Amino acid sequence: MQEFFSISLIITQHLNRSLGGRAGVSLSKVSKYKRGLSLEENTHILLSDLGGSMGIDQDFSQPRNPAITCMNYMLYDFGVFNHQDLSNVSKLRRALSFSNFPWMNCNVTHPMTKEPFFGEPYQVFKINGMKLVVVSGYGGDFIPEEGDRDSTLYISGLGSSVKRWLRYIYDSVDPDYVIVCISDWDDEAAAVLQDMEGVGLVVTGSPEQEAGDGEADGADAGSASAVLGPRISDSKYETFSVPEDGRVPMYHHHHNSQVMHISLNFKTRTSTYEYLGHSVACIDQEVSRLSEDYNLLDLVHYHL
């Protein structure tokens, strides 16, 4: 067991089925970035998506979703839905039937039972003996498809859903560290941040219109450039200090790029794990300069 170790959380969003063979960020280049990280010592990688990468809202008639094929190859660890993914529930269900990794959400529920409609609301990852739990939620609106009077989905209150599952997780799982991932951003998501006892980190996705605006590469979470500005769209990402319980600091990162890297650092104690801090960087420019993962391109060359 490693005494000092780090967890690299790589987060993609709004790739809209950008597989590769193009300028800018693509799944192929993210795959190459992950491969480089895997060579670093004492680093454990979690690869995730905060929505909008499957291209559900685009015209597509093939039986298999090529983005899911790429994500399976890249060994994604989990995904979270956003408004684009929920724009066509039938396409979404078909795409997820081929997914080898979980898509989580605690407040996209059955209309009658109010239980999670897609998979589980959280996932437990055992890393270097530490139990890391990721809880996910959907922070946007849901508009039923045209002609669908009796919607198959119901969006439960985000704040109450997250708090209910956090209580359940601490009662049943006894986690060492908890991350909450919320796709999209609205006023309700902001209110959720005021009551996050026991949570180490909150990460949200962003509306599509904010994705890719501006540049911010390599800033640290504690730096002045990461302090909350007057408006959400004023900076590439922002950090909100939230009332904490004295055990761990908690931040909210507003993520409005296509790929972000959060590095979490820990030290192993006799029976616990000490949180040492983290850094965050929007890495669109760095990833865009990488070469392609040609094994991935060969896998999906018909869709490029």
Side-chain angles (χ1 to χ4, degrees), residues 46-122:
L46 287 179
L47 183 57
S48 63
D49 188 76
L50 279 185
S53 294
M54 288 185 285
I56 295 297
D57 60 338
Q58 299 179 359
D59 292 334
F60 181 70
S61 59
Q62 299 298 322
R64 284 181 179 266
N65 186 297
I68 291 293
T69 300
C70 291
M71 290 171 157
N72 286 340
Y73 164 83
M74 295 166 66
L75 300 178
Y76 265 71
D77 292 285
F78 67 92
V80 186
F81 305 120
N82 75 352
H83 63 283
Q84 289 177 295
D85 302 319
L86 293 174
S87 64
N88 190 312
V89 176
S90 58
K91 281 187 178 181
L92 178 61
R93 296 180 73 172
R94 184 168 70 246
L96 297 189
S97 67
F98 295 104
S99 177
N100 294 337
F101 56 94
W103 290 82
M104 305 180 297
N105 211 292
C106 70
N107 65 319
V108 178
T109 64
H110 290 272
M112 299 298 293
T113 65
K114 303 301 185 292
E115 292 297 319
F117 191 89
F118 294 102
E120 298 295 329
Y122 69 92

Side-chain angles (χ1 to χ4, degrees), residues 14 61 64 102 114 127 132 140 181 186 193 202 215 232 249 273:
H14 293 307
S61 59
R64 284 181 179 266
K114 303 301 185 292
I127 300 174
L132 171 70
C181 292
D186 62 9
L193 297 174
V202 179
E215 298 179 2
I232 288 176
Y273 297 86

Side-chain angles (χ1 to χ4, degrees), residues 7-235:
I7 298 173
S8 287
L9 177 61
I10 306 171
I11 304 170
T12 56
Q13 71 164 1
H14 293 307
L15 289 178
N16 294 317
R17 232 173 55 233
S18 296
L19 310 180
R22 48 152 280 180
V25 178
S26 66
L27 285 169
S28 171
K29 294 178 181 179
V30 173
S31 178
K32 202 65 174 287
Y33 180 81
K34 178 190 175 186
R35 186 173 299 177
L37 280 183
S38 65
L39 301 177
E40 298 183 6
E41 293 185 2
N42 301 337
T43 298
H44 305 265
I45 300 173
L46 287 179
L47 183 57
S48 63
D49 188 76
L50 279 185
S53 294
M54 288 185 285
I56 295 297
D57 60 338
Q58 299 179 359
D59 292 334
F60 181 70
S61 59
Q62 299 298 322
R64 284 181 179 266
N65 186 297
I68 291 293
T69 300
C70 291
M71 290 171 157
N72 286 340
Y73 164 83
M74 295 166 66
L75 300 178
Y76 265 71
D77 292 285
F78 67 92
V80 186
F81 305 120
N82 75 352
H83 63 283
Q84 289 177 295
D85 302 319
L86 293 174
S87 64
N88 190 312
V89 176
S90 58
K91 281 187 178 181
L92 178 61
R93 296 180 73 172
R94 184 168 70 246
L96 297 189
S97 67
F98 295 104
S99 177
N100 294 337
F101 56 94
W103 290 82
M104 305 180 297
N105 211 292
C106 70
N107 65 319
V108 178
T109 64
H110 290 272
M112 299 298 293
T113 65
K114 303 301 185 292
E115 292 297 319
F117 191 89
F118 294 102
E120 298 295 329
Y122 69 92
Q123 192 76 11
V124 180
F125 299 96
K126 292 187 177 180
I127 300 174
N128 197 45
M130 185 181 78
K131 285 190 286 188
L132 171 70
V133 174
V134 179
V135 185
S136 73
Y138 174 66
D141 297 323
F142 174 65
I143 301 175
E145 299 170 42
E146 187 175 351
D148 186 7
R149 294 183 178 180
D150 299 319
S151 174
T152 56
L153 298 181
Y154 175 80
I155 307 300
S156 301
L158 178 61
S160 59
S161 297
V162 171
K163 285 187 286 186
R164 177 165 61 92
W165 283 106
L166 284 175
R167 287 195 298 267
Y168 175 82
I169 288 167
Y170 270 95
D171 287 342
S172 60
V173 178
D174 190 24
D176 296 298
Y177 196 83
V178 176
I179 298 175
V180 174
C181 292
I182 301 174
S183 65
D184 296 313
W185 171 271
D186 62 9
D187 293 338
E188 185 182 6
V192 171
L193 297 174
Q194 305 306 315
D195 189 7
M196 282 282 176
E197 183 178 357
V199 175
L201 197 70
V202 179
V203 184
T204 76
S206 68
E208 182 182 14
Q209 61 268 23
E210 293 182 10
D213 295 336
E215 298 179 2
D217 199 359
D220 184 84
S223 67
S225 62
V227 176
L228 171 62
R231 295 175 56 209
I232 288 176
S233 59
D234 281 345
S235 66

Side-chain angles (χ1 to χ4, degrees), residues 199-261:
V199 175
L201 197 70
V202 179
V203 184
T204 76
S206 68
E208 182 182 14
Q209 61 268 23
E210 293 182 10
D213 295 336
E215 298 179 2
D217 199 359
D220 184 84
S223 67
S225 62
V227 176
L228 171 62
R231 295 175 56 209
I232 288 176
S233 59
D234 281 345
S235 66
K236 189 71 171 179
Y237 60 90
E238 292 121 355
T239 301
F240 297 74
S241 293
V242 179
E244 48 190 77
D245 59 6
R247 291 186 302 156
V248 293
M250 182 171 70
Y251 300 94
H252 160 70
H253 297 291
H254 182 67
H255 170 207
N256 57 358
S257 70
Q258 290 183 303
V259 57
M260 182 169 69
H261 179 183

